[in-house]
Amino acid sequence: MEKEEARRKAKAVVVGGSIAGISCAHALIAAGWDVVVLEKTLSPPNGCATGAGLGLDMVSMKLIKKWTQPQLLQLLSLPMNIEHEQATDGDEKITRTLSRDEHFNFRAMHWADLHSLLYSSLQQDIVLWGHSFLSFCISDDKTSAKVQAKVLQTNETVEIVGDLLVAADGCLSSIRETFLPDLKLRYSGYNAWRGVLDYSNNENSETVIALKKAYPDLGNCNYFDIGSEGHAILYELINQRVNWIWYHNQPEPKFKGNSVTAKVSGDMIEDMYEAAEKVWMPELVKVMRETKEPFLNAIYDAEPLDQLYWDNVVLIGDAAHPISPHGGRSTNMSILDAAVLGKCLEKWGPENLSSALDEYQSIRLVVASEQVLFSRRMGRIKQRLPLPDRDLFDHAAASREESQVLHLRNIPYFNHIPPILAPDCNSSLQSCIL
């Protein structure tokens, strides 16, 4: 009874209400913890066009199904059963298949749809919107953490005390900076132009008809175009939307404020279109041109961390492992971090918090380290940037065998299920196939 009482009263304060923070809330509530999430955004996205597309692997899908309504998760996502890499000749405007994985088994989803699904499955008083994190301190006996936040609508400063502080505040984490002030993000050497084309009101347009002819597996495929000026990604989302990304080698941009994403001027967008016309297929360029408000995302990662927690403060998601996007891992890592943390807390109970955090770290640290380094390497291969141990990837001449290096399933721990989560994922990979 005493142990159950301790479990019931344990409280976690989560800083950050994006996918990582909301997933953490689900996992910790399932572990018997009280949770409060602090998010500086004034209100939930409510299905708006915030963000862009993402790919969920089989393990993430299985975990999310336990936290939400499984039928909604299916309805809000589309299959990406195929990973297709092709070389694009920008002069001749032709493509050639490099590699193809027809057992990819991801699902494509819009960021806002996933966030809305996760958030709507929580009790509405768990996330405190419009609460901007200011600072924290750990009690002298290391048993609690006190967080200060500013309520943006009133300018009031509030204090919240919890047994555990979870930093889910992204790749620019101010909580992580407290412990690792010398850790700096590493610019990859390229930016991502990206956007989502909504063609729901014009599904028979020449652009859409031509696009589906040039990319016949849209709706079931993640397309990668490898060209002389980086690489591009194209896949479909529900409600007749197409997500596209172009990774373009450029000097590091200067963004205002504490952000790696920016809206850009009309002149910059027009320059991007003109550059795209020289290197990509006209069907893809038309999609770019018809997309409302494309935006620019600078690509960063960081050297893998040596630890993920200090006393009763723990990092999850991009705060724990800033990563470039080329392994399709950022969102999936956040979901898996949250699930593993929840199971470790449930296993050890709040009276053994240090043991729980130590096991969480032992499970996730090596995986995160290897996946960060793999994603960095994959990005440099696809962007035709130098690596010390191999020649530049020659998309124009590479054989099918040489192109196997491009497959996402090469990433360490692809579809790996940590043993602590085996009961939730039925221990076998096959059971996670939808």
Side-chain angles (χ1 to χ4, degrees):
M1 180 66 69
E2 182 177 343
K3 186 174 182 180
E4 289 301 317
E5 184 72 9
R7 287 177 186 266
R8 183 182 68 80
K9 291 183 177 180
K11 180 178 181 179
V13 181
V14 180
V15 175
S18 192
I19 302 297
I22 299 296
S23 297
C24 190
H26 278 286
L28 268 59
I29 290 169
W33 282 59
D34 290 334
V35 179
V36 60
V37 179
L38 305 180
E39 169 53 43
K40 64 183 177 181
T41 306
L42 292 175
S43 61
N46 289 326
C48 70
T50 304
L54 52 86
L56 295 173
D57 64 23
M58 291 181 290
V59 180
S60 291
M61 291 291 291
K62 193 75 174 180
L63 293 169
I64 296 169
K65 279 187 170 184
K66 293 184 66 66
W67 300 334
T68 64
Q69 299 180 52
Q71 66 274 20
L72 282 181
L73 183 60
Q74 289 293 110
L75 290 172
L76 291 170
S77 61
L78 286 178
M80 285 198 297
N81 293 322
I82 302 168
E83 177 194 356
H84 183 99
E85 281 92 4
Q86 57 189 22
T88 299
D89 185 323
D91 294 326
E92 298 294 329
K93 304 301 181 188
I94 57 174
T95 62
R96 176 178 67 90
T97 297
L98 292 170
S99 65
R100 188 173 169 93
D101 179 358
E102 297 191 351
H103 303 282
F104 188 50
N105 293 324
F106 272 51
R107 301 282 296 189
M109 200 166 182
H110 195 284
W111 182 94
D113 292 338
L114 176 58
H115 188 278
S116 179
L117 176 64
L118 288 167
Y119 172 64
S120 64
S121 301
L122 289 173
Q123 294 181 12
Q124 297 305 294
D125 59 349
I126 288 173
V127 181
L128 302 182
W129 300 98
H131 282 60
S132 181
F133 169 80
L134 295 175
S135 64
F136 74 94
C137 63
I138 301 172
S139 63
D140 292 339
D141 61 2
K142 313 296 185 184
T143 61
S144 65
K146 180 167 65 177
V147 177
Q148 286 193 332
K150 181 179 181 180
V151 183
L152 297 181
Q153 289 185 327
T154 64
N155 283 328
E156 175 190 7
T157 297
V158 297
E159 293 183 347
I160 302 174
V161 178
D163 303 279
L164 175 67
L165 171 58
V166 181
D169 51 342
C171 65
L172 296 169
S173 171
S174 57
I175 297 175
R176 184 188 67 223
E177 186 177 13
T178 302
F179 300 103
L180 301 171
D182 296 327
L183 180 72
K184 305 299 180 185
L185 293 186
R186 169 194 164 277
Y187 180 59
S188 65
Y190 48 92
N191 298 324
W193 281 101
R194 61 189 308 166
V196 176
L197 173 66
D198 183 342
Y199 65 90
S200 57
N201 293 324
N202 201 9
E203 60 181 302
N204 295 316
S205 69
E206 291 183 5
T207 296
V208 173
I209 292 172
L211 180 70
K212 292 192 173 183
K213 183 176 180 180
Y215 297 87
D217 290 314
L218 272 180
N220 190 35
C221 183
N222 192 5
Y223 278 100
F224 293 84
D225 284 4
I226 315 292
S228 60
E229 296 292 330
H231 72 288
I233 298 176
L234 189 74
Y235 56 85
E236 193 163 7
L237 303 168
I238 66 161
N239 297 329
Q240 297 173 307
R241 295 172 292 176
V242 174
N243 184 84
W244 60 269
I245 311 169
W246 174 20
Y247 297 103
H248 190 202
N249 296 342
Q250 290 177 314
E252 184 175 4
K254 303 298 182 184
F255 289 154
K256 294 181 180 180
N258 196 32
S259 176
V260 297
T261 301
K263 290 188 176 181
V264 288
S265 68
D267 288 343
M268 291 177 66
I269 293 173
E270 189 58 38
D271 288 344
M272 181 269 290
Y273 293 151
E274 292 179 6
E277 287 175 346
K278 298 175 183 178
V279 295
W280 299 124
M281 298 293 287
E283 295 87 353
L284 176 56
V285 177
K286 287 181 180 179
V287 169
M288 294 177 176
R289 281 194 171 274
E290 294 184 18
T291 297
K292 293 181 179 178
E293 298 184 348
F295 61 96
L296 190 64
N297 182 195
I299 305 302
Y300 291 89
D301 65 12
E303 293 303 316
L305 275 58
D306 294 325
Q307 63 186 101
L308 298 178
Y309 80 94
W310 294 261
D311 297 319
N312 55 348
V313 180
V314 63
L315 309 179
I316 71 165
D318 288 344
H321 33 68
I323 187 171
S324 60
H326 310 295
R329 297 313 305 155
S330 179
T331 299
N332 292 297
M333 291 171 82
S334 296
I335 293 166
L336 198 49
D337 285 349
V340 170
L341 178 61
K343 282 299 178 182
C344 290
L345 293 173
E346 181 181 12
K347 172 183 174 180
W348 290 96
E351 66 276 12
N352 296 305
L353 182 59
S354 62
S355 296
L357 297 181
D358 194 57
E359 182 167 10
Y360 163 75
Q361 178 172 274
S362 70
I363 294 171
R364 295 300 296 150
L365 190 63
V366 64
V367 176
S369 297
E370 292 193 30
Q371 292 189 339
V372 165
L373 295 177
F374 176 92
S375 295
R376 178 186 299 179
R377 180 179 178 85
M378 178 71 84
R380 296 191 72 82
I381 291 172
K382 290 186 174 182
Q383 290 299 111
R384 305 186 69 249
L385 292 170
L387 284 166
D389 60 344
R390 61 164 293 146
D391 295 332
L392 297 183
F393 182 75
D394 186 352
H395 68 291
S399 67
R400 290 285 185 102
E401 182 177 1
E402 292 169 331
S403 299
Q404 297 298 307
V405 69
L406 303 175
H407 281 174
L408 293 187
R409 68 170 55 253
N410 293 327
I411 194 168
Y413 303 98
F414 182 83
N415 276 336
H416 171 71
I417 301 170
I420 199 167
L421 296 181
D424 287 345
C425 288
N426 301 324
S427 75
S428 70
L429 181 60
Q430 184 63 34
S431 70
C432 288
I433 297 177
L434 303 176

